[in-house]
Amino acid sequence: MNLKGELETRISEALAEAGAPPGSGALIARSNKPQFGHYQANGCMAAAKALKINPRELARKVLDNLDLSDIAEPLEIAGPGFINIRISRQWLAQRLTEVESDPKLGIATPETPQTVVVDYSAPNLAKEMHVGHLRSTIIGDALVRVLDFIGHKVIRQNHVGDWGTQFGMLIAYMKDLLQDDPEGFQAEAELGDLEEFYRKAKQRFDADEAFADTAREEVVRLQSGDPATLDAWRGFREISLRHCSDVYRRLGVLLEDGDVYGESEFNDDLSNVVEDLRAAGILEESRGAQCVFLDEFRGKGEDDADVPLIVQKSDGGYLYATTDLAGIRYRQDQLRADRILYVTDSRQGMHFTQVFGVARLAGFARGELMLEHVPFGMMLGKDHRPFKTRTGGTIKLTDLLTEAEQRAFDLVSGKTPDVDEARRREIAAIVGIGAVKYADLSQNRGSDYVFSWDKMLSLDGNTAPYMQYAYARVKSIFRKADMDESQAVGEIVLTEAAETNLAVKLAQLPETIQAVAVECLPNLLCSYLFELAGAFMTFYEACPVLKADAPAARTSRLMLCLLTARTIKTGLGMLGIDTLEQM
Ligand code: ARG
């Protein structure tokens, strides 16, 4: 059960009964200050203003209509008209006993699960994956895991950039290499480093007119389906995708080959998209290009010009937007999506606003289809500029992951030098990759963030190593007692304040997960886990577990420990981060 949701519903009803205008939200905030209770409802403030009465007076009326005695201690009015809510121990104890035996830790499966398409990672295959793709891959993967855990049907779509003019250049370069070396050793070797391959092809393209012409011819041949050119394209695409899979495997994300559904898949449909826009009567020609003008974008350009969404260039070529329009239809009609999430950097915001707008206007997207851009900011270096290598080049993802593992290895080796090396390497991979992921996910995705090895690998603060350590520490209690976890059965009894506070945190998992799914904000889950770990540490200091006074208290506390461990493991799991039983 979603505790916050339940409180909000009940308080909204009481507000309505007290005469508040419809839609007066209950506005419940979670509170970490004991004097405010566990939750605080602020809804009376705005509603009282609308009713032109004193908020405290309204709050008193609300309390007359509100019975939360099954969930909470007697309610209190605080300050100018807030309602403080303290969750009752009985309710918590009973709730946690239910959660204990629930593999989903109290997270309810929705009555009508949605089919959610998550479009993420989606690198351009002409180049090697670089740090720019890291955020999309990590954030998208966390959203996939959260939605899946809740019980929605999730379809991953890796909308890779596998089509377009750059491929002409790459194919021309590859054919050239093969000419001098038909066995393909040279091409194979150079393709081992896609970044290099691209750079050399580009160099050649810029320096050599004849080569540039050939490259342009290759684009035409590619588009007209010339078998030899298509073969070369397939070969290149294959190799590039293999690079991606390697990164996905190392990162431990769910993306598989079967999730790749790239731009090239939509080629045959692009002319239909344009024709259907024409048939819908919304296509306009502007400077030779086929465009759709949305009302919202009239006069929004330079010198108050109307901003078009171009779907076909004057030379007949189609664009990124055309492909995305085809993609919306495919996802709605073939994949039967109820909701589509596009995880890309925020610079693509306008693109998606326009594409969604045109899809609706053209009737490509049903009214109920939820189309959401999930934007994120940039990864910055220590100098607060876009994250680059020392010489200003792009940082390859494989190099970044190798460094993460190496740094984690040094850390682990410093702490536990006696553990054998192979095991230290295993731990380092889990800690290092976890740290990179957590550092990203714990930020509000909307903002830019500074990538800092020291911070993300720190054992204190809101980091993966801290959370992994907290988990291992809880687990160590059972080891210390030489006790099997299955022995911790009995009843949860909450007497100490630290126990109650921990219990409240544990009961807040469902509302947290719900919010992550609705708002696509994994950082809410990170903050939650961090708070939970904090509540646990306080509890552990205040309440002896193995040395508890009475057997019943000992069992109850062990159960709280176990639930905490499960919640951390499950929560980190939803972020795509592994845990270690021992650190
Ligand atoms: N390939 C694009 C890029 O690297 C991202 C694609 C995102 N998905 C989409 N349907 N447009 O920027």
Side-chain angles (χ1 to χ4, degrees):
M1 187 187 88
N2 182 331
L3 179 55
K4 183 165 179 248
E6 177 71 22
L7 294 173
E8 270 169 347
T9 310
R10 296 220 213 158
I11 295 180
S12 289
E13 281 166 13
L15 262 169
E17 269 177 66
S24 293
L27 288 180
I28 298 230
R30 210 143 89 179
S31 154
N32 286 322
K33 301 210 176 92
Q35 67 271 29
F36 295 151
H38 300 120
Y39 291 90
Q40 191 174 57
N42 309 338
C44 291
M45 310 302 287
K49 201 168 173 194
L51 292 171
K52 298 202 171 58
I53 56 170
N54 180 324
R56 271 189 88 93
E57 197 181 308
L58 178 62
R60 264 190 294 276
K61 274 201 194 167
V62 168
L63 290 200
D64 288 341
N65 295 310
L66 185 62
D67 181 9
L68 289 181
S69 58
D70 52 333
I71 301 183
E73 309 286 352
L75 301 171
E76 280 165 28
I77 300 173
F82 302 123
I83 300 172
N84 289 351
I85 303 156
R86 194 175 293 278
I87 306 301
S88 84
R89 294 177 179 198
Q90 286 91 320
W91 185 86
L92 283 169
Q94 198 204 327
R95 174 71 193 145
L96 293 189
T97 310
E98 286 160 22
V99 167
E100 249 257 295
S101 57
D102 178 4
K104 283 184 70 187
L105 288 170
I107 296 166
T109 305
E111 273 166 46
T112 40
Q114 289 185 314
T115 298
V116 188
V117 168
V118 184
D119 177 324
Y120 71 114
S121 193
N124 181 345
L125 294 188
K127 292 180 156 202
E128 190 151 330
M129 284 183 85
H130 56 84
V131 297
H133 300 112
L134 188 64
R135 300 208 73 188
S136 175
T137 308
I138 293 177
I139 296 168
D141 207 60
L143 296 175
V144 165
R145 288 171 193 267
V146 166
L147 291 162
D148 177 73
F149 191 89
I150 292 176
H152 294 295
K153 178 179 173 197
V154 185
I155 303 177
R156 301 180 295 263
Q157 289 283 283
N158 195 355
H159 188 90
V160 295
D162 60 356
W163 201 252
T165 44
Q166 318 100 301
F167 285 93
M169 177 181 92
L170 297 165
I171 289 166
Y173 185 66
M174 190 150 96
K175 281 187 174 172
D176 248 21
L177 289 179
L178 287 174
Q179 203 153 37
D180 298 339
D181 169 30
E183 306 285 327
F185 292 126
Q186 180 69 15
E188 186 74 35
E190 291 204 16
L191 277 168
D193 189 337
L194 269 187
E195 203 55 38
E196 250 323 86
F197 190 88
Y198 183 91
R199 212 178 48 77
K200 283 191 182 158
K202 180 84 171 69
Q203 231 167 32
R204 181 89 194 273
F205 184 87
D206 291 337
D208 180 344
E209 256 319 303
F211 177 81
D213 284 340
T214 316
R216 280 187 276 268
E217 281 157 30
E218 288 294 358
V219 177
V220 178
R221 272 198 280 271
L222 185 63
Q223 272 159 355
S224 62
D226 172 68
T229 302
L230 270 182
D231 261 356
W233 169 75
R234 266 190 220 104
F236 183 87
R237 184 179 181 277
E238 200 62 23
I239 291 169
S240 186
L241 279 173
R242 226 182 298 139
H243 281 266
C244 298
S245 312
D246 287 345
V247 171
Y248 296 151
R249 224 170 314 119
R250 287 187 68 188
L251 257 184
V253 296
L254 297 169
L255 283 170
E256 290 167 10
D257 293 349
D259 302 324
V260 174
Y261 203 84
E263 293 183 7
S264 67
E265 301 280 353
F266 298 101
N267 287 341
D268 294 343
D269 200 31
L270 300 179
S271 57
N272 301 331
V273 167
V274 174
E275 281 325 302
D276 293 341
L277 292 172
R278 196 189 309 283
I282 56 176
L283 200 65
E284 280 177 49
E285 188 167 313
S286 171
R287 292 197 225 146
Q290 301 302 318
C291 308
V292 180
F293 288 91
L294 291 168
D295 285 342
E296 311 87 279
F297 286 91
R298 295 268 179 208
K300 288 287 158 67
E302 244 174 74
D303 296 331
D304 299 333
D306 299 341
V307 179
L309 181 73
I310 306 176
V311 293
Q312 189 172 24
K313 291 188 286 189
S314 55
D315 68 3
Y318 299 103
L319 296 103
Y320 186 50
T322 328
T323 312
D324 267 332
L325 286 169
I328 290 179
R329 290 214 280 201
Y330 166 75
R331 291 165 181 186
Q332 171 183 269
D333 300 338
Q334 310 299 317
L335 302 181
R336 307 237 148 251
D338 299 304
R339 183 181 185 197
I340 311 178
L341 306 179
Y342 295 83
V343 189
T344 81
D345 71 84
S346 38
R347 286 170 298 185
Q348 297 195 32
M350 169 143 144
H351 163 77
F352 284 110
T353 310
Q354 286 186 300
V355 165
F356 298 164
V358 170
R360 301 240 188 247
L361 191 63
F364 291 179
R366 279 182 278 113
E368 315 83 77
L369 176 67
M370 298 165 76
L371 294 167
E372 295 165 47
H373 180 213
V374 180
F376 52 81
M378 267 194 288
M379 230 161 106
L380 306 176
K382 269 206 215 95
D383 53 359
H384 290 246
R385 305 176 63 97
F387 194 42
K388 294 256 157 96
T389 60
R390 230 165 274 150
T391 53
T394 44
I395 296 178
K396 288 190 211 167
L397 271 192
T398 51
D399 295 342
L400 184 92
L401 299 183
T402 303
E403 181 162 358
E405 288 171 354
Q406 186 54 44
R407 284 178 183 259
F409 180 73
D410 295 342
L411 187 80
V412 172
S413 300
K415 292 239 176 257
T416 50
D418 307 334
V419 176
D420 77 89
E421 176 170 345
R423 180 64 193 148
R424 271 183 282 139
R425 293 253 171 235
E426 268 170 40
I427 297 176
I430 291 174
V431 173
I433 301 295
V436 170
K437 286 183 169 182
Y438 197 92
D440 194 312
L441 294 169
S442 57
Q443 304 293 319
N444 184 314
R445 60 173 163 74
S447 30
D448 296 345
Y449 83 98
V450 177
F451 188 91
S452 154
W453 289 115
D454 293 337
K455 245 203 200 149
M456 73 176 71
L457 284 166
S458 162
L459 274 167
D460 29 55
N462 190 10
T463 65
Y466 171 80
M467 288 309 310
Q468 287 166 326
Y469 179 70
Y471 173 78
R473 180 153 165 201
V474 186
K475 289 316 255 304
S476 75
I477 297 168
F478 287 85
R479 263 196 312 280
K480 232 187 341 199
D482 200 13
M483 213 183 133
D484 195 74
E485 289 170 12
S486 57
Q487 286 171 268
V489 277
E491 223 180 302
I492 290 181
V493 224
L494 306 167
T495 39
E496 301 298 321
E499 288 174 312
T500 310
N501 286 339
L502 175 60
V504 171
K505 276 286 153 237
L506 288 167
Q508 286 172 337
L509 179 71
E511 68 196 41
T512 306
I513 295 305
Q514 194 57 35
V516 174
V518 170
E519 297 170 50
C520 298
L521 289 175
N523 62 305
L524 299 177
L525 178 52
C526 297
S527 306
Y528 166 79
L529 291 173
F530 186 56
E531 287 164 16
L532 174 66
F536 179 80
M537 297 304 178
T538 310
F539 152 82
Y540 196 60
E541 273 156 35
C543 308
V545 176
L546 296 173
K547 297 204 172 87
D549 296 339
R554 184 175 190 259
T555 305
S556 167
R557 286 177 186 170
L558 281 168
M559 288 169 75
L560 287 174
C561 291
L562 209 53
L563 254 182
T564 303
R566 271 180 69 203
T567 306
I568 295 177
K569 189 184 172 83
T570 308
L572 288 177
M574 279 189 249
L575 298 171
I577 296 171
D578 285 335
T579 41
L580 290 150
E581 297 303 302
Q582 216 167 335
M583 258 174 102

